[in-house]
Amino acid sequence: GQNIDQPTEMTATEGAIVQINCTYQTSGFNGLFWYQQHAGEAPTFLSYNVLDGLEEKGRFSSFLSRSKGYSYLLLKELQMKDSASYLCAVTDSNYQLIWGAGTKLIIKP
Amino acid sequence: DVKVTQSSRYLVKRTGEKVFLECVQDMDHENMFWYRQDPGLGLRLIYFSYDVKMKEKGDIPEGYSVSREKKERFSLILESASTNQTSMYLCASSSLPASGLGVDTQYFGPGTRLTVL
């Protein structure tokens, strides 16, 4: 079967760095997305990785290793507004998106 | 900016009622999707559409149907609502990649929180 694993919840301190991991087992791979979802709101796009390596976008970076079936989202200089759920989603060989359950990130002052 | 709107933010219905959830996007996207989101579970795809009058079943289509009469509008229909359909329903749209293959970024509406009593 197809599976996406992420930690259910993480806690970090304002100003610090946090890494949210995502591992996947899917039938084929055509890219990995990270989305941010604030409570009660729609998911919004953060990043897309299709090749191995690190993609940096401001305070957020996303890393992919296809051989290991692994990605992480790195958030630097954490702000209170970063408190949200972070969703990992993988595109399989049929170009269908398989979603993880999301990681709820709690930022403490 | 891409805008995806959904007809209601909150909806309360009775068991057995027919429920219509409407979704409209303003970016001329070819692809539209309906998901449900429940605590502890990932987004689960109910139905999707790659073109007008075209629909494909997702992972959990049972108890649902859809309609896409116009490119910008994708409706989700619960023929006879049941309590296990209480959930957050999210609509999304995306364009078709220029190559014709692959998956482009999905843009989501604000969601409809449906409660079936």
Side-chain angles (χ1 to χ4, degrees):
Chain A
Q2 310 210 84
N3 195 46
I4 310 285
D5 284 317
Q6 311 177 229
T8 303
E9 188 175 294
M10 299 180 70
T11 302
T13 305
E14 190 177 15
I17 299 173
V18 71
Q19 177 176 310
I20 302 173
N21 296 325
C22 171
T23 57
Y24 61 90
Q25 299 93 37
T26 56
S27 56
F29 177 85
N30 281 297
L32 184 144
F33 289 86
W34 282 98
Y35 280 77
Q36 180 190 59
Q37 185 178 25
H38 285 101
E41 297 183 12
T44 55
F45 169 77
L46 285 178
S47 68
Y48 174 66
N49 294 69
V50 65
L51 298 175
D52 289 351
L54 188 68
E55 295 274 347
E56 297 187 74
K57 196 185 290 186
R59 293 189 300 114
F60 291 10
S61 303
S62 56
F63 171 83
L64 175 68
S65 168
R66 288 172 296 171
S67 62
K68 294 182 179 177
Y70 168 69
S71 172
Y72 67 73
L73 182 68
L74 191 72
L75 291 73
K76 302 177 185 176
E77 300 168 17
L78 286 170
Q79 301 175 11
M80 297 303 292
K81 68 179 181 180
D82 298 330
S83 291
S85 288
Y86 292 86
L87 313 181
C88 173
V90 172
T91 311
D92 69 10
S93 56
N94 294 319
Y95 299 100
Q96 299 302 314
L97 267 181
I98 313 300
W99 293 84
T103 299
K104 183 178 180 181
L105 178 63
I106 300 167
I107 309 297
K108 295 186 174 180
Chain B
D1 271 356
V2 174
K3 192 164 186 183
V4 181
T5 57
Q6 295 183 229
S7 50
S8 306
R9 289 301 303 271
Y10 300 94
L11 210 52
V12 179
K13 295 292 182 181
R14 299 263 177 215
T15 301
E17 280 192 80
K18 191 169 186 176
V19 183
F20 292 88
L21 302 182
E22 298 279 323
C23 175
V24 177
Q25 51 94 4
D26 67 357
M27 280 301 291
D28 201 34
H29 283 169
E30 291 82 7
N31 308 324
M32 296 190 76
F33 307 84
W34 273 107
Y35 293 94
R36 63 179 284 177
Q37 185 176 34
D38 299 290
L41 300 176
L43 291 171
R44 292 183 291 168
L45 183 63
I46 304 171
Y47 268 97
F48 60 100
S49 170
Y50 288 150
D51 201 353
V52 175
K53 296 194 187 292
M54 179 272 182
K55 59 187 178 184
E56 292 284 345
K57 293 180 179 179
D59 299 318
I60 52 164
E62 295 77 21
Y64 304 94
S65 63
V66 290
S67 172
R68 192 162 181 203
E69 296 296 319
K70 293 184 178 182
K71 190 176 185 180
E72 67 271 17
R73 188 179 299 268
F74 192 36
S75 302
L76 180 69
I77 304 152
L78 285 67
E79 296 292 342
S80 178
S82 63
T83 55
N84 63 13
Q85 291 178 310
T86 291
S87 186
M88 170 69 85
Y89 289 89
L90 289 164
C91 174
S93 72
S94 71
S95 62
L96 192 64
S99 65
L101 294 174
V103 176
D104 208 347
T105 303
Q106 292 188 13
Y107 295 88
F108 286 84
T112 296
R113 186 166 292 283
L114 173 67
T115 302
V116 182
L117 301 176

